[in-house]
Amino acid sequence: MRIAIMLAMLLLSRQAWAFDFKGITVGGSATPSDVQERLGVRCGEGYENMQICNGDVTVAREPASMNLVISPKGIVQRIALTLSPDAFDEVAPELVRKFGKPKSISHSAVQNRMGAKYPQVIYLWAAKDGTEVLYMKYAGTLDRSALNFSTKADRIMLRKDKEGRSGDI
């Protein structure tokens, strides 16, 4: 009986589920054919034999640009989506419905060149295996928001790529 209860709790826990975008799971296996079939986006060979899939998709019926990376072993490392910040109030509740309460919600302010400030909101969902979903209202500019699904390995790779830049001026 105790095992059945524990199994039921695990299955009902939203954090027990992997993070997916329309059936493509970050940290799970996928092929370029899977991406084209589910998302309508084509892939091509990229850096170090990775498959890179770039194209237009929708998130909660809002238009988005997607960059999806599949490792040479066929593991989805990243699903990076760029949306309009105007979509934030539509998309964020859908993410909460799908993935449950975020691990954290950060509030701050971003500022434009003229000094006007805008409220920044960042949602973070994190699984025990190191996969994350990060959704930020403003990403780099006031014209863009970002929804990123990533593996721990992908975040480490991106950090290593930035190393050694300090003397490159």
Side-chain angles (χ1 to χ4, degrees), residues 98-166:
K98 183 169 185 171
F99 300 128
K101 181 181 175 188
K103 178 181 178 182
S104 68
I105 302 173
S106 304
H107 295 274
S108 61
V110 294
Q111 185 173 322
N112 70 9
R113 293 179 191 170
M114 300 297 288
K117 293 186 179 185
Y118 299 86
Q120 171 71 296
V121 183
I122 301 172
Y123 287 74
L124 173 67
W125 290 265
K128 291 180 181 179
D129 67 357
T131 57
E132 291 182 354
V133 175
L134 181 76
Y135 187 33
M136 62 180 74
K137 186 168 186 173
Y138 300 108
T141 73
L142 294 172
D143 299 330
R144 183 173 56 216
S145 69
L147 172 57
N148 295 317
F149 297 68
S150 64
T151 62
K152 185 175 182 180
D154 183 60
R155 292 188 306 277
I156 289 169
M157 181 192 72
L158 291 173
R159 266 195 302 271
K160 284 183 180 178
D161 186 48
K162 291 180 181 179
E163 290 176 1
R165 293 184 182 191
S166 62

Side-chain angles (χ1 to χ4, degrees), residues 23-132:
I24 303 291
T25 303
V26 69
S29 61
T31 64
S33 296
D34 295 332
V35 173
Q36 182 161 2
E37 180 182 308
R38 292 185 181 136
L39 303 175
V41 174
R42 292 183 181 225
C43 304
E45 193 168 318
Y47 177 72
E48 293 188 357
N49 298 317
M50 293 187 192
Q51 290 293 314
I52 310 301
C53 315
N54 293 320
D56 294 328
V57 296
T58 59
V59 179
R61 297 190 175 141
E62 296 289 340
S65 296
M66 182 186 74
N67 168 256
L68 186 148
V69 177
I70 303 172
S71 75
K73 293 181 179 179
I75 304 300
V76 177
Q77 296 296 315
R78 174 186 330 135
I79 305 170
L81 299 149
T82 304
L83 302 98
S84 166
D86 295 336
F88 190 85
D89 292 334
E90 300 297 325
V91 174
E94 293 302 319
L95 292 169
V96 172
R97 271 192 270 290
K98 183 169 185 171
F99 300 128
K101 181 181 175 188
K103 178 181 178 182
S104 68
I105 302 173
S106 304
H107 295 274
S108 61
V110 294
Q111 185 173 322
N112 70 9
R113 293 179 191 170
M114 300 297 288
K117 293 186 179 185
Y118 299 86
Q120 171 71 296
V121 183
I122 301 172
Y123 287 74
L124 173 67
W125 290 265
K128 291 180 181 179
D129 67 357
T131 57
E132 291 182 354

